[in-house]
Amino acid sequence: MVLDHLSIEHVEQLDAWIDSLSEKPENRVTEAEVLELCQKAQEVLTHEPNVTPCHAPLTVVGDIHGQFHDLLELFRIGGRCPDTNYLFLGDYVDRGYYSVECITLLLMLKVRYPERIHILRGNHESRQITQVYGFYDECVRKYGSANVWTAFTNLFDILPLAGLIDGRIFTPHGGLSPQVKTMEDINKLERMQEIPVDGPVCDLLWSDPDDRLGWGMSPRGAGFTFGDDVSKQFNHCNGLTLIIRAHQLVMEGFQWHHNDNVLTVFSAPNYCYRCGNLAGIVEYDDHLTPKIVTYEPAPRRGEPHVTRSAPEYFL
């Protein structure tokens, strides 16, 4: 089907780009084509609310972090878009060697199949963070200037803050906020800006579940920790059965919290090419029945030599 926002020529061009980049990362598009892609993606994403509605069947994906071969492996295991519907929870860039290719491919798919793939904002989709943890340097190294990085980070401001699967499953990148009680509260927020250093937008992208009850100060220096009582109350007030979030390395690819009120999914296997973890995704069928799938890294291919390593940060 030819989509309303694309001409036949654009559809054919996008299909060619997707096929070429999926074959190997060296087939990335030119700077001019990145700028065109970001403009098209902005036109699509601007119309999505802060909490973007999604519908099963659907596969939920956690952090990718520039691990392009593992992203292709994910599509081999979970099915290619548009045959499979996807909801990506953010953190497409930084850490890995192929952040440019990861975000480019996902934007191509979003523009080509806007109803089949949903992409949310993670805490790394930020100007400040990407200047420290690798994406900025990668853009300059691969394109010779910061123009592509500027286009991508301007687009990051447009990404939705969370998803809502069939009105039952809430999916932020990070977690909850003491300033947010309902979906309406989130939809009223001004999202089209750089991620603030505090406040509800920051909290949704940075917070983590914790064993301690109530709200706590986050060791990350942004967002909060939230306890079982908080997630249970939020789910009850909003008619939810579950919160699925990403944001944290979990060694098995997934981890349950708060008496199964919260699920962490992490989709970058062997994170940073050294952590030894599995990756996980959550597949929902038409009846909203979940199946957690875990997988190992794709076979290693010749990774580029990068002389400047990113700071340790916190994994």
Side-chain angles (χ1 to χ4, degrees):
M1 182 179 70
V2 178
L3 302 168
D4 291 342
H5 66 289
L6 294 175
S7 66
I8 292 174
E9 292 79 9
H10 278 123
V11 169
E12 293 174 347
Q13 180 188 59
L14 276 168
D15 287 342
W17 285 352
I18 290 167
D19 289 343
S20 179
L21 185 56
S22 297
E23 183 180 337
K24 57 181 179 178
E26 292 77 15
N27 292 340
R28 60 181 174 269
V29 294
T30 66
E31 177 180 319
E33 289 166 338
V34 169
L35 301 184
E36 179 186 356
L37 176 65
C38 287
Q39 179 60 43
K40 283 289 183 185
Q42 182 171 333
E43 293 171 11
V44 173
L45 290 163
T46 299
H47 298 290
E48 296 192 359
N50 291 351
V51 181
T52 190
C54 313
H55 302 285
L58 180 79
T59 295
V60 183
V61 183
D63 296 25
I64 298 299
H65 279 302
Q67 297 182 200
F68 186 69
H69 297 109
D70 296 318
L71 176 60
L72 298 182
E73 182 78 358
L74 185 160
F75 287 133
R76 280 190 286 270
I77 292 167
R80 292 190 64 171
C81 186
D83 300 325
T84 300
N85 300 327
Y86 281 98
L87 170 58
F88 284 80
L89 303 186
D91 278 15
Y92 315 110
V93 301
D94 290 335
R95 302 294 197 183
Y97 296 137
Y98 297 100
S99 293
V100 165
E101 291 78 7
C102 285
I103 187 58
T104 300
L105 179 58
L106 291 175
L107 290 179
M108 289 175 181
L109 292 170
K110 179 62 182 175
V111 173
R112 179 65 176 87
Y113 306 108
E115 302 301 321
R116 296 290 190 176
I117 181 170
H118 299 280
I119 54 175
L120 307 180
R121 192 174 195 175
N123 65 302
H124 277 259
E125 277 70 62
S126 151
R127 295 169 184 81
Q128 183 179 4
I129 296 294
T130 54
Q131 288 183 76
V132 178
Y133 296 108
F135 183 49
Y136 175 87
D137 292 329
E138 182 185 329
C139 290
V140 172
R141 185 171 68 250
K142 290 177 176 177
Y143 285 97
S145 77
N147 294 342
V148 163
W149 174 82
T150 299
F152 280 130
T153 52
N154 286 342
L155 180 72
F156 292 162
D157 291 345
I158 313 296
L159 293 173
L161 302 176
L164 184 63
I165 305 173
D166 288 332
R168 304 292 288 167
I169 300 163
F170 178 60
T171 63
H173 174 73
L176 302 179
S177 170
Q179 299 181 50
V180 165
K181 307 300 182 189
T182 66
M183 299 300 124
E184 185 180 358
D185 291 342
I186 301 173
N187 278 326
K188 289 178 179 177
L189 299 173
E190 174 51 59
R191 81 169 190 257
M192 297 184 187
Q193 58 176 317
E194 172 69 339
I195 300 171
V197 297
D198 56 21
V201 172
C202 172
D203 299 340
L204 290 166
L205 275 53
W206 278 92
S207 294
D208 297 295
D210 195 75
D211 294 335
R212 296 167 296 181
L213 295 179
W215 297 100
M217 297 297 294
S218 173
R220 297 179 184 268
F224 292 88
T225 63
F226 58 97
D228 173 75
D229 54 333
V230 174
S231 57
K232 189 178 299 182
Q233 176 70 15
F234 185 85
N235 286 354
H236 175 75
C237 289
N238 290 280
L240 304 173
T241 58
L242 181 63
I243 298 166
I244 302 181
R245 40 89 65 179
H247 192 45
Q248 280 182 300
L249 168 65
V250 285
M251 294 304 293
E252 299 303 316
F254 70 98
Q255 183 174 326
W256 291 97
H257 316 266
H258 299 175
N259 295 311
D260 296 350
N261 274 296
V262 179
L263 173 63
T264 294
V265 58
F266 194 82
S267 306
N270 193 32
Y271 181 41
C272 296
Y273 310 110
R274 62 181 172 83
C275 287
N277 60 289
L278 294 174
I281 55 177
V282 187
E283 298 178 343
Y284 281 98
D285 65 14
D286 295 296
H287 306 290
L288 212 58
T289 303
K291 176 186 176 185
I292 298 175
V293 177
T294 61
Y295 54 96
E296 296 183 342
R300 290 291 293 274
R301 308 175 191 185
E303 304 289 9
H305 177 67
V306 180
T307 56
R308 179 183 173 189
S309 60
E312 282 298 309
Y313 176 54
F314 35 78
L315 295 174

